[in-house]
Amino acid sequence: MTFRPGPPPPAPARRGNAAAAAPLTDGEWHRLHPLTPLLRGGIVLIVVLGILLNNLRDTLVEMVIPGGGPQQDGDPVRYVYEHGAVGWVLLGLVGFVIVLIGLFYLSWRMHEFRVTGDVVEVRSGVLFRNHRKARLDRIQGINVSRPLIPRLFGTAKLEIAQAGNDANVQLAYLGAKAGDDLRQRILVLASGAQEDEAEAADGQPRYDSEGLVSDRVHEFLSPELDAGAVHATRIVKVQPGRLIASLLLSGTTVFLLVVLAAIIVSIAVTGEYFLLVSLFPAVIGAGGYYVRKFSKSLQYTIADTRDGIRIGFGLVSTSNETLPPGRIHAVSVAQPLLWRPFGWWDIRINRATNAGNGASNNQQVSSIVLPVGTAEDVRQVLEIILPSLVGSAVVGPGATKDRMREGSAEAVSVVDDSLTTTGDRGGFQHSPRRGRWLRPLSARRNGYRFVPGAVLLRMGAVWRTLVVVPLPRVQSVKVSQGPVERLLRLASVHVQTVHGPVTAAIGALDARDAQQLWADTAERAVEAAASDTSHRWRSASGHAAGQEARGHVSAPPAGPQGAAPGHTGPPVWSPAPAGWGDVPPTGAVR
């Protein structure tokens, strides 16, 4: 591994420079929106004051209109009023408010952020200082959320997702347009793109205000996704009617129906109608679940943009996240049994980020890329989130739409030959006949295959599932064999990725096929990781030039010693287990 000194970084543009391309990414420290203290803590204070006023309304009415309210003994407000201490109390309240405003102002002044060519830094705190950094080449996604109250004030929360527990960096709150622009600027810096003047001018924030009320009304009525503003080339939307039907045809509905049937039978047998009371909590809980899931999935869109994969949802409170290419570690396409007559599927992903304390609660939602869609929707989404799966995905300067879509015919083959097929159709290596002892219904569907840049695992006869693991994202490969599998000469393979809802494991394979899958996956993963440049997806000269231009470590050599970008340790070689056959022990576990 060779270290090469790079040229000194350019001096950051100053705030007063009219030629600066991005005021918030000039390397200088900036502050959040002035209303941030009110939105983060002041609203809670207003609610508390509202509760106090509501409890004291009778006393206040009596003070303004004598005899207009009921008399209460021991009321502190009446005691203060009768003893002539109203002025002192009001003076104390004014002093308390002034001190509170001063603390809010000091907290706002001490909360700053800056964006350089390498990191996003946030420092905050008055007595106890906190300094967080997010490296641009380790960004897993950038989410811009607009809860209802901040949305009324034209603000938004920007959260930068990083790999690790509680590693995310938040900027709460920014102006809504400034947040969108800052997100786009950070992704441009992370991509390694060299923007020309026209592109930079096109990305400049536009603050043509028509008035406070007009701006808020326009923002609420505007669509969640502006295809022109984000340069979207492909958009997949979830239909509201299909979304409602999918919620009704879910496991939660089946569970409720079973509980309802059990209660009805119990009443018929015992004659005790008080059992109906136990149904109320289940109905209330299920109703809340349906409302939350439906509201969070309204206006659900998946778009292919030059900055990455954009996932947006929400009606009253909105959220949209942009995932840079190469940040998806595993994909699951699943079809519950009740969805099969309609041909519906959902898509979930694994990402290298884990929201911790105080972080966003969108982690579970952002793992769902497609809540419900047809096979055609699945095909389009796979082409968006895994462009390398369908051919040569060309990005950066000089890229054309035709070149970016090269090989899309193979994507049709991947979907059509994997979702509903069985046996060896589509090139899958499936379980042998003796595998039916462990997979009585799905032995012929249970199989695997390789496609350019990924390994596919096809499983399930009742609950159909297709798991796609990009080879550069493979963390390790494990082969296991229990006593029953050993007796049947079968084995299981687990292609391990980052933690998430997708589990890339397949069992009941022939022992020799399992070893072959283990060896081929490990070998191909090392080769794919050595040539992966997705972390600098818009760099003109790829990974090596992007690293050398910034004075970083040169690209790792191809072969077993090369590690994937973002890998924190060297590859670990693992010999083939004894007694697995005559397949050479090749491959590496990273």
Side-chain angles (χ1 to χ4, degrees):
M1 192 171 289
T2 305
F3 291 87
R4 303 180 182 178
R14 310 302 296 180
R15 284 194 184 96
N17 188 356
L24 294 181
T25 56
D26 55 5
E28 298 289 336
W29 290 99
H30 298 272
R31 295 187 178 90
L32 301 175
H33 195 279
L35 292 179
T36 294
L38 175 65
L39 297 174
R40 298 186 66 177
I43 292 180
V44 176
L45 178 62
I46 293 176
V47 172
V48 172
L49 291 177
I51 295 175
L52 292 175
L53 291 177
N54 180 67
N55 293 333
L56 299 174
R57 63 182 183 275
D58 295 333
T59 301
L60 295 177
V61 170
E62 175 66 21
M63 291 171 59
V64 178
I65 305 176
Q71 301 293 327
Q72 297 182 8
D73 296 333
D75 190 343
V77 176
R78 180 173 299 279
Y79 177 84
V80 169
Y81 177 73
E82 291 177 350
H83 288 76
V86 176
W88 291 104
V89 172
L90 292 178
L91 182 62
L93 289 176
V94 171
F96 173 76
V97 171
I98 292 176
V99 171
L100 195 63
I101 293 176
L103 292 176
F104 280 169
Y105 175 77
L106 185 61
S107 174
W108 174 76
R109 289 277 301 181
M110 301 297 289
H111 198 145
E112 298 177 308
F113 72 94
R114 72 173 177 179
V115 181
T116 66
D118 297 308
V119 297
V120 178
E121 297 181 74
V122 179
R123 60 187 185 188
S124 60
V126 179
L127 297 179
F128 301 95
R129 299 290 289 165
N130 183 23
H131 194 164
R132 306 188 67 130
K133 293 183 180 181
R135 287 183 54 181
L136 296 183
D137 57 353
R138 296 295 182 264
I139 290 177
Q140 303 298 315
I142 302 180
N143 179 61
V144 177
S145 59
R146 296 179 177 87
L148 177 59
I149 300 301
R151 194 178 180 190
L152 292 174
F153 290 92
T155 60
K157 178 172 67 175
L158 186 144
E159 183 173 0
I160 302 172
Q162 291 271 284
N165 186 31
D166 196 16
N168 295 0
V169 174
Q170 291 188 14
L171 297 177
Y173 290 86
L174 298 168
K177 295 181 180 179
D180 289 334
D181 179 69
L182 181 59
R183 188 249 304 271
Q184 191 265 341
R185 293 292 178 181
I186 293 175
L187 289 172
V188 167
L189 291 174
S191 69
Q194 299 294 329
E195 288 188 309
D196 56 24
E197 294 182 1
E199 188 178 18
D202 180 67
Q204 281 288 349
R206 298 178 176 88
Y207 300 101
D208 299 331
S209 176
E210 299 177 358
L212 180 62
V213 177
S214 299
D215 290 346
R216 298 289 77 76
V217 171
H218 175 73
E219 181 180 345
F220 270 89
L221 296 181
S222 61
E224 196 279 327
L225 173 64
D226 186 350
V230 298
H231 305 277
T233 58
R234 184 190 298 265
I235 301 175
V236 179
K237 298 182 178 180
V238 177
Q239 299 178 5
R242 183 181 299 161
L243 178 62
I244 296 175
S246 68
L247 293 176
L248 296 178
L249 296 175
S250 63
T252 304
T253 304
V254 175
F255 173 76
L256 285 176
L257 293 177
V258 171
V259 172
L260 178 61
I263 292 177
I264 293 175
V265 171
S266 300
I267 293 175
V269 173
T270 62
E272 300 291 342
Y273 288 91
F274 76 90
L275 293 174
L276 288 174
V277 178
S278 62
L279 185 62
F280 295 151
V283 172
I284 294 174
Y289 165 80
Y290 287 131
V291 170
R292 288 193 304 271
K293 193 164 185 179
F294 178 73
S295 62
K296 289 183 178 180
S297 299
L298 278 175
Q299 296 192 106
Y300 208 105
T301 58
I302 307 99
D304 184 11
T305 72
R306 65 182 184 182
D307 296 320
I309 306 153
R310 187 187 186 278
I311 304 173
F313 53 87
L315 182 61
V316 178
S317 297
T318 65
S319 179
N320 59 81
E321 186 168 17
T322 302
L323 309 180
R327 269 58 173 185
I328 295 177
H329 291 246
V331 180
S332 171
V333 185
Q335 183 183 61
L337 181 61
L338 296 179
W339 290 8
R340 185 173 300 181
F342 308 96
W344 295 342
W345 304 79
D346 69 8
I347 299 180
R348 299 171 186 265
I349 62 173
N350 283 358
R351 301 170 49 202
T353 177
N354 184 16
N357 297 331
S360 171
N361 60 356
N362 292 327
Q363 178 67 14
Q364 182 178 1
V365 177
S366 60
S367 66
I368 304 175
V369 177
L370 182 66
V372 59
T374 62
E376 176 62 27
D377 296 330
V378 171
R379 181 179 299 113
Q380 294 188 46
V381 171
L382 287 181
E383 290 188 13
I384 291 174
I385 65 178
L386 295 175
S388 60
L389 177 68
V390 302
S392 302
V394 181
V395 292
T400 63
K401 185 176 181 180
D402 293 336
R403 293 182 65 197
M404 292 180 67
R405 299 301 168 204
E406 178 184 352
S408 59
E410 186 176 354
V412 177
S413 176
V414 168
V415 172
D416 294 344
D417 294 343
S418 304
L419 294 184
T420 60
T421 58
T422 59
D424 57 0
R425 286 186 55 191
F428 280 87
Q429 185 69 34
H430 63 89
S431 298
R433 182 180 296 272
R434 60 184 181 276
R436 294 181 180 178
W437 290 100
L438 299 180
R439 301 289 190 276
L441 299 178
S442 61
R444 286 187 53 80
R445 179 167 167 79
N446 207 55
Y448 72 91
R449 67 170 288 195
F450 289 96
V451 296
V455 56
L456 275 59
L457 307 179
R458 184 188 63 186
M459 299 162 289
V462 177
W463 191 300
R464 293 172 175 169
T465 303
L466 173 67
V467 175
V468 183
V469 182
L471 290 173
R473 307 280 83 82
V474 174
Q475 302 295 309
S476 66
V477 186
K478 181 179 73 173
V479 183
S480 60
Q481 189 181 53
V484 178
E485 290 177 318
R486 187 177 305 169
L487 180 65
L488 297 173
R489 304 191 310 279
L490 302 174
S492 300
V493 179
H494 188 181
V495 181
Q496 295 174 330
T497 67
V498 298
H499 178 72
V502 182
T503 301
I506 185 170
L509 291 178
D510 183 271
R512 292 179 60 86
D513 292 338
Q515 185 190 5
Q516 191 66 51
L517 173 60
W518 171 82
D520 290 346
T521 302
E523 182 178 1
R524 297 185 185 209
V526 171
E527 295 176 355
S531 59
D532 180 42
T533 59
S534 59
H535 66 300
R536 302 290 284 175
W537 65 96
R538 290 178 62 191
S539 177
S541 41
H543 168 61
Q547 292 289 78
E548 293 176 8
R550 294 166 59 189
H552 286 180
V553 182
S554 62
Q561 284 76 24
H567 178 54
T568 57
V572 180
W573 290 84
S574 177
W580 290 83
D582 299 327
V583 179
T586 58
V589 178
R590 295 190 300 118

